[in-house]
Amino acid sequence: MITEMNMRPLLYCTTFVSLLLTGAVFGFFYAFYCSVMWGLDASPPDAAIAAMQGINREVRNAAFFPAFFLPPVFLAAGAILSWTLKNRSGGLAFGLAALVYLGGGLILTMAVNVPMNEAFALVSIPATEAEAQVIWNAYSQPWQFWNAVRTGFSGAALLLIGWGLLALGQQNDG
């Protein structure tokens, strides 16, 4: 039988896992925002094209899967458990975090960045640096814009998780 006593550890488990996974995906997007793409932009364009194609081929892996796909699942569970335990602030925070990441991180990536990456995978590296630069700029600039957007949404989700965790702590203190 599920009681409040055994729901609370489950709530802590789901919310801390959501914190870890959302922090991981935010960090992943942020690393691309402030270093990876800048480094590729500073590289010869043929090398940047080849490197990004390699990154895009390898990113779909078992290590990346939980951080990218599972935050909304754990956040929704945390929202439901918080709400059930009458912590409305925590439930609201975790629910909003799930929606923010789902829409601005996961769905945005699947709708924008992934199709860009799939189209970019079909690009052949041209013979001249000038042609390679045109191809790289046409990909890099819009990709970086959308990456910045998903980074912001993922960061907002992370802040909402912090709010939810504070709300859990306040409920336990009072």
Side-chain angles (χ1 to χ4, degrees):
M1 179 158 124
I2 296 177
T3 65
E4 181 177 328
M5 184 170 272
N6 52 3
M7 276 201 306
R8 193 160 295 285
L10 185 57
L11 170 62
Y12 292 142
C13 181
T14 60
T15 55
F16 281 106
V17 169
S18 71
L19 176 67
L20 177 67
L21 295 176
T22 306
V25 80
F26 168 72
F28 177 82
F29 293 157
Y30 184 72
F32 268 87
Y33 172 77
C34 68
S35 63
V36 173
M37 295 305 287
W38 293 354
L40 293 175
D41 283 347
S43 300
D46 57 339
I49 292 168
M52 192 63 173
Q53 287 174 333
I55 289 167
N56 289 337
R57 261 191 317 276
E58 298 301 321
V59 74
R60 296 176 190 175
N61 60 58
F64 181 69
F65 177 89
F68 182 70
F69 288 104
L70 296 182
V73 174
F74 282 94
L75 286 164
I80 292 166
L81 289 166
S82 292
W83 198 262
T84 302
L85 292 169
K86 302 195 181 352
N87 187 311
R88 305 293 188 242
S89 293
L92 178 62
F94 298 131
L96 285 173
L99 292 173
V100 165
Y101 175 72
L102 182 65
L106 198 145
I107 292 174
L108 173 65
T109 299
M110 299 304 287
V112 178
N113 293 82
V114 168
M116 289 177 71
N117 293 344
E118 289 173 348
F120 196 63
L122 303 175
V123 168
S124 296
I125 299 173
T128 70
E129 186 171 339
E131 291 173 307
Q133 191 67 60
V134 168
I135 290 169
W136 177 249
N137 289 346
Y139 171 80
S140 176
Q141 291 170 1
W143 193 95
Q144 287 188 64
F145 171 80
W146 289 110
N147 183 62
V149 172
R150 69 185 182 170
T151 301
F153 275 102
S154 299
L158 196 56
L159 289 172
L160 287 164
I161 294 169
W163 172 38
L165 292 172
L166 285 173
L168 292 181
Q170 290 173 347
Q171 183 181 31
N172 289 335
D173 292 341

